[in-house]
Structures are given as C-alpha cells and as structure tokens.
mmCIF file of all heavy atoms in Angstrom:
data_model
loop_
_atom_site.group_PDB
_atom_site.id
_atom_site.type_symbol
_atom_site.label_atom_id
_atom_site.label_comp_id
_atom_site.label_asym_id
_atom_site.label_seq_id
_atom_site.Cartn_x
_atom_site.Cartn_y
_atom_site.Cartn_z
ATOM 1 N N ILE A 918 49.923 30.194 90.886
ATOM 2 C CA ILE A 918 48.697 29.646 91.476
ATOM 3 C C ILE A 918 47.477 30.203 90.749
ATOM 4 O O ILE A 918 46.538 29.468 90.441
ATOM 5 C CB ILE A 918 48.631 29.956 92.991
ATOM 6 C CG1 ILE A 918 49.716 29.162 93.719
ATOM 7 C CG2 ILE A 918 47.254 29.644 93.556
ATOM 8 C CD1 ILE A 918 49.860 29.480 95.180
ATOM 9 N N LEU A 919 47.474 31.505 90.438
ATOM 10 C CA LEU A 919 46.353 32.107 89.716
ATOM 11 C C LEU A 919 46.208 31.489 88.325
ATOM 12 O O LEU A 919 45.097 31.154 87.902
ATOM 13 C CB LEU A 919 46.546 33.619 89.594
ATOM 14 C CG LEU A 919 46.448 34.417 90.892
ATOM 15 C CD1 LEU A 919 46.797 35.875 90.644
ATOM 16 C CD2 LEU A 919 45.073 34.283 91.501
ATOM 17 N N THR A 920 47.320 31.337 87.621
ATOM 18 C CA THR A 920 47.297 30.754 86.279
ATOM 19 C C THR A 920 46.752 29.334 86.321
ATOM 20 O O THR A 920 45.928 28.936 85.494
ATOM 21 C CB THR A 920 48.712 30.761 85.660
ATOM 22 O OG1 THR A 920 49.178 32.106 85.637
ATOM 23 C CG2 THR A 920 48.716 30.185 84.271
ATOM 24 N N SER A 921 47.189 28.565 87.292
ATOM 25 C CA SER A 921 46.729 27.185 87.438
ATOM 26 C C SER A 921 45.233 27.129 87.736
ATOM 27 O O SER A 921 44.502 26.308 87.165
ATOM 28 C CB SER A 921 47.517 26.489 88.543
ATOM 29 O OG SER A 921 47.053 25.177 88.738
ATOM 30 N N ALA A 922 44.764 27.990 88.605
ATOM 31 C CA ALA A 922 43.338 28.007 88.956
ATOM 32 C C ALA A 922 42.479 28.377 87.749
ATOM 33 O O ALA A 922 41.439 27.750 87.492
ATOM 34 C CB ALA A 922 43.089 28.982 90.106
ATOM 35 N N VAL A 923 42.897 29.379 87.008
ATOM 36 C CA VAL A 923 42.148 29.791 85.820
ATOM 37 C C VAL A 923 42.138 28.671 84.782
ATOM 38 O O VAL A 923 41.105 28.379 84.162
ATOM 39 C CB VAL A 923 42.728 31.100 85.232
ATOM 40 C CG1 VAL A 923 42.134 31.402 83.872
ATOM 41 C CG2 VAL A 923 42.487 32.251 86.187
ATOM 42 N N ALA A 924 43.279 28.018 84.570
ATOM 43 C CA ALA A 924 43.356 26.917 83.613
ATOM 44 C C ALA A 924 42.415 25.774 84.013
ATOM 45 O O ALA A 924 41.744 25.184 83.151
ATOM 46 C CB ALA A 924 44.789 26.409 83.505
ATOM 47 N N GLN A 925 42.356 25.455 85.298
ATOM 48 C CA GLN A 925 41.452 24.401 85.760
ATOM 49 C C GLN A 925 39.986 24.782 85.539
ATOM 50 O O GLN A 925 39.173 23.935 85.154
ATOM 51 C CB GLN A 925 41.703 24.086 87.235
ATOM 52 C CG GLN A 925 42.996 23.347 87.492
ATOM 53 C CD GLN A 925 43.249 23.112 88.976
ATOM 54 O OE1 GLN A 925 42.371 23.295 89.801
ATOM 55 N NE2 GLN A 925 44.473 22.711 89.298
ATOM 56 N N CYS A 926 39.649 26.031 85.779
ATOM 57 C CA CYS A 926 38.269 26.493 85.551
ATOM 58 C C CYS A 926 37.896 26.397 84.075
ATOM 59 O O CYS A 926 36.807 25.923 83.727
ATOM 60 C CB CYS A 926 38.105 27.931 86.032
ATOM 61 S SG CYS A 926 38.150 28.113 87.824
ATOM 62 N N ILE A 927 38.781 26.834 83.201
ATOM 63 C CA ILE A 927 38.503 26.792 81.761
ATOM 64 C C ILE A 927 38.384 25.347 81.293
ATOM 65 O O ILE A 927 37.493 25.005 80.512
ATOM 66 C CB ILE A 927 39.580 27.565 80.979
ATOM 67 C CG1 ILE A 927 39.440 29.064 81.271
ATOM 68 C CG2 ILE A 927 39.473 27.290 79.486
ATOM 69 C CD1 ILE A 927 40.533 29.923 80.694
ATOM 70 N N LYS A 928 39.251 24.472 81.783
ATOM 71 C CA LYS A 928 39.182 23.061 81.416
ATOM 72 C C LYS A 928 37.843 22.456 81.842
ATOM 73 O O LYS A 928 37.203 21.734 81.077
ATOM 74 C CB LYS A 928 40.333 22.283 82.050
ATOM 75 C CG LYS A 928 40.354 20.828 81.672
ATOM 76 C CD LYS A 928 41.544 20.104 82.269
ATOM 77 C CE LYS A 928 41.509 18.641 81.885
ATOM 78 N NZ LYS A 928 42.634 17.893 82.445
ATOM 79 N N LYS A 929 37.387 22.776 83.037
ATOM 80 C CA LYS A 929 36.104 22.258 83.526
ATOM 81 C C LYS A 929 34.951 22.749 82.655
ATOM 82 O O LYS A 929 34.059 21.980 82.290
ATOM 83 C CB LYS A 929 35.880 22.685 84.978
ATOM 84 C CG LYS A 929 34.598 22.145 85.575
ATOM 85 C CD LYS A 929 34.429 22.550 87.020
ATOM 86 C CE LYS A 929 33.111 22.012 87.559
ATOM 87 N NZ LYS A 929 32.858 22.450 88.926
ATOM 88 N N ILE A 930 34.981 24.004 82.269
ATOM 89 C CA ILE A 930 33.932 24.570 81.414
ATOM 90 C C ILE A 930 33.920 23.867 80.057
ATOM 91 O O ILE A 930 32.858 23.510 79.534
ATOM 92 C CB ILE A 930 34.138 26.094 81.238
ATOM 93 C CG1 ILE A 930 33.838 26.817 82.547
ATOM 94 C CG2 ILE A 930 33.277 26.641 80.107
ATOM 95 C CD1 ILE A 930 34.281 28.258 82.572
ATOM 96 N N LEU A 931 35.093 23.654 79.484
ATOM 97 C CA LEU A 931 35.170 23.006 78.175
ATOM 98 C C LEU A 931 34.691 21.562 78.220
ATOM 99 O O LEU A 931 34.019 21.097 77.299
ATOM 100 C CB LEU A 931 36.599 23.077 77.633
ATOM 101 C CG LEU A 931 37.108 24.473 77.275
ATOM 102 C CD1 LEU A 931 38.578 24.419 76.890
ATOM 103 C CD2 LEU A 931 36.274 25.087 76.171
ATOM 104 N N VAL A 932 35.007 20.851 79.272
ATOM 105 C CA VAL A 932 34.546 19.460 79.412
ATOM 106 C C VAL A 932 33.029 19.424 79.549
ATOM 107 O O VAL A 932 32.349 18.607 78.909
ATOM 108 C CB VAL A 932 35.234 18.774 80.613
ATOM 109 C CG1 VAL A 932 34.558 17.456 80.945
ATOM 110 C CG2 VAL A 932 36.707 18.550 80.319
ATOM 111 N N GLU A 933 32.473 20.298 80.360
ATOM 112 C CA GLU A 933 31.021 20.331 80.560
ATOM 113 C C GLU A 933 30.269 20.769 79.300
ATOM 114 O O GLU A 933 29.120 20.409 79.110
ATOM 115 C CB GLU A 933 30.674 21.251 81.729
ATOM 116 C CG GLU A 933 31.083 20.680 83.074
ATOM 117 C CD GLU A 933 30.818 21.634 84.230
ATOM 118 O OE1 GLU A 933 30.281 22.742 84.006
ATOM 119 O OE2 GLU A 933 31.156 21.256 85.368
ATOM 120 N N ALA A 934 30.918 21.542 78.437
ATOM 121 C CA ALA A 934 30.270 22.032 77.221
ATOM 122 C C ALA A 934 30.369 21.037 76.063
ATOM 123 O O ALA A 934 29.910 21.312 74.963
ATOM 124 C CB ALA A 934 30.891 23.360 76.807
ATOM 125 N N ASN A 935 30.969 19.869 76.304
ATOM 126 C CA ASN A 935 31.135 18.844 75.261
ATOM 127 C C ASN A 935 31.824 19.396 74.020
ATOM 128 O O ASN A 935 31.378 19.206 72.901
ATOM 129 C CB ASN A 935 29.794 18.213 74.878
ATOM 130 C CG ASN A 935 29.217 17.383 75.990
ATOM 131 O OD1 ASN A 935 29.958 16.726 76.721
ATOM 132 N ND2 ASN A 935 27.914 17.422 76.147
ATOM 133 N N THR A 936 32.928 20.092 74.234
ATOM 134 C CA THR A 936 33.687 20.632 73.111
ATOM 135 C C THR A 936 34.432 19.502 72.392
ATOM 136 O O THR A 936 34.622 18.424 72.935
ATOM 137 C CB THR A 936 34.712 21.680 73.591
ATOM 138 O OG1 THR A 936 35.553 21.082 74.573
ATOM 139 C CG2 THR A 936 34.023 22.887 74.156
ATOM 140 N N ALA A 937 34.827 19.777 71.172
ATOM 141 C CA ALA A 937 35.566 18.788 70.377
ATOM 142 C C ALA A 937 36.695 19.490 69.640
ATOM 143 O O ALA A 937 36.598 20.672 69.318
ATOM 144 C CB ALA A 937 34.636 18.117 69.378
ATOM 145 N N LEU A 938 37.738 18.752 69.382
ATOM 146 C CA LEU A 938 38.846 19.290 68.597
ATOM 147 C C LEU A 938 38.504 19.215 67.116
ATOM 148 O O LEU A 938 37.957 18.219 66.646
ATOM 149 C CB LEU A 938 40.129 18.504 68.858
ATOM 150 C CG LEU A 938 40.768 18.666 70.228
ATOM 151 C CD1 LEU A 938 42.001 17.782 70.341
ATOM 152 C CD2 LEU A 938 41.152 20.112 70.476
ATOM 153 N N MET A 939 38.858 20.258 66.399
ATOM 154 C CA MET A 939 38.653 20.306 64.955
ATOM 155 C C MET A 939 40.023 20.285 64.294
ATOM 156 O O MET A 939 40.997 20.745 64.866
ATOM 157 C CB MET A 939 37.910 21.581 64.561
ATOM 158 C CG MET A 939 36.588 21.785 65.278
ATOM 159 S SD MET A 939 35.336 20.617 64.779
ATOM 160 C CE MET A 939 34.828 21.324 63.237
ATOM 161 N N GLU A 940 40.080 19.722 63.088
ATOM 162 C CA GLU A 940 41.333 19.702 62.348
ATOM 163 C C GLU A 940 41.104 20.169 60.917
ATOM 164 O O GLU A 940 40.037 19.946 60.354
ATOM 165 C CB GLU A 940 41.967 18.311 62.364
ATOM 166 C CG GLU A 940 41.195 17.249 61.647
ATOM 167 C CD GLU A 940 41.869 15.881 61.724
ATOM 168 O OE1 GLU A 940 43.090 15.808 61.937
ATOM 169 O OE2 GLU A 940 41.162 14.886 61.564
ATOM 170 N N PRO A 941 42.127 20.822 60.344
ATOM 171 C CA PRO A 941 41.989 21.256 58.951
ATOM 172 C C PRO A 941 42.033 20.061 58.000
ATOM 173 O O PRO A 941 42.822 19.136 58.189
ATOM 174 C CB PRO A 941 43.196 22.169 58.737
ATOM 175 C CG PRO A 941 44.172 21.788 59.791
ATOM 176 C CD PRO A 941 43.390 21.233 60.929
ATOM 177 N N VAL A 942 41.169 20.101 56.995
ATOM 178 C CA VAL A 942 41.120 19.053 55.976
ATOM 179 C C VAL A 942 41.463 19.695 54.640
ATOM 180 O O VAL A 942 40.958 20.768 54.306
ATOM 181 C CB VAL A 942 39.720 18.397 55.920
ATOM 182 C CG1 VAL A 942 39.635 17.385 54.793
ATOM 183 C CG2 VAL A 942 39.400 17.739 57.246
ATOM 184 N N MET A 943 42.320 19.037 53.894
ATOM 185 C CA MET A 943 42.802 19.557 52.630
ATOM 186 C C MET A 943 42.139 18.830 51.462
ATOM 187 O O MET A 943 41.886 17.626 51.532
ATOM 188 C CB MET A 943 44.317 19.385 52.521
ATOM 189 C CG MET A 943 45.093 19.949 53.701
ATOM 190 S SD MET A 943 44.801 21.687 53.999
ATOM 191 C CE MET A 943 45.759 22.390 52.675
ATOM 192 N N SER A 944 41.878 19.578 50.411
ATOM 193 C CA SER A 944 41.454 18.991 49.154
ATOM 194 C C SER A 944 42.742 18.592 48.441
ATOM 195 O O SER A 944 43.633 19.415 48.238
ATOM 196 C CB SER A 944 40.681 20.033 48.347
ATOM 197 O OG SER A 944 40.331 19.518 47.099
ATOM 198 N N LEU A 945 42.847 17.320 48.079
ATOM 199 C CA LEU A 945 44.088 16.770 47.549
ATOM 200 C C LEU A 945 43.847 16.208 46.159
ATOM 201 O O LEU A 945 42.822 15.569 45.910
ATOM 202 C CB LEU A 945 44.568 15.654 48.483
ATOM 203 C CG LEU A 945 45.841 14.910 48.136
ATOM 204 C CD1 LEU A 945 47.044 15.830 48.286
ATOM 205 C CD2 LEU A 945 45.994 13.696 49.037
ATOM 206 N N GLU A 946 44.792 16.471 45.260
ATOM 207 C CA GLU A 946 44.732 15.928 43.909
ATOM 208 C C GLU A 946 46.077 15.275 43.613
ATOM 209 O O GLU A 946 47.115 15.942 43.651
ATOM 210 C CB GLU A 946 44.451 17.041 42.917
ATOM 211 C CG GLU A 946 44.286 16.570 41.496
ATOM 212 C CD GLU A 946 43.953 17.715 40.554
ATOM 213 O OE1 GLU A 946 42.810 18.193 40.594
ATOM 214 O OE2 GLU A 946 44.856 18.138 39.807
ATOM 215 N N VAL A 947 46.069 13.969 43.362
ATOM 216 C CA VAL A 947 47.291 13.220 43.074
ATOM 217 C C VAL A 947 47.214 12.721 41.642
ATOM 218 O O VAL A 947 46.221 12.106 41.252
ATOM 219 C CB VAL A 947 47.457 12.019 44.037
ATOM 220 C CG1 VAL A 947 48.743 11.254 43.721
ATOM 221 C CG2 VAL A 947 47.448 12.471 45.481
ATOM 222 N N VAL A 948 48.250 12.979 40.851
ATOM 223 C CA VAL A 948 48.327 12.499 39.472
ATOM 224 C C VAL A 948 49.457 11.479 39.419
ATOM 225 O O VAL A 948 50.600 11.788 39.771
ATOM 226 C CB VAL A 948 48.587 13.653 38.475
ATOM 227 C CG1 VAL A 948 48.694 13.106 37.065
ATOM 228 C CG2 VAL A 948 47.485 14.693 38.578
ATOM 229 N N SER A 949 49.103 10.262 38.983
ATOM 230 C CA SER A 949 50.061 9.164 38.991
ATOM 231 C C SER A 949 49.831 8.264 37.787
ATOM 232 O O SER A 949 48.727 8.203 37.245
ATOM 233 C CB SER A 949 49.891 8.358 40.283
ATOM 234 O OG SER A 949 50.620 7.166 40.234
#
C-alpha cells in the first residue's frame, strides 16, 4: 500500500510538471 501510494504521488507530480521521455540518438554512418 505504501509503495502504491508513493508511486501515485510521483506519477501525479510528473504529469503536472509536463515531463517528457527522452531517447538516445546515435550518429550513424552507412557505406554502401
């Protein structure tokens, strides 16, 4: 119950803060 409550609080904070997911981008070189 404690874990669930904390997770819900953190989720609410992240939604209100307009957070976004970031992804790694690679520099790619293809020789063909």
Side-chain angles (χ1 to χ4, degrees):
I918 292 174
L919 292 174
T920 302
S921 178
V923 170
Q925 288 177 12
C926 290
I927 291 173
K928 182 177 179 180
K929 182 178 179 184
I930 290 168
L931 293 174
V932 168
E933 289 176 2
N935 292 324
T936 56
L938 290 178
M939 305 291 281
E940 66 181 337
V942 176
M943 307 303 285
S944 176
L945 179 69
E946 184 178 286
V947 180
V948 179
S949 170

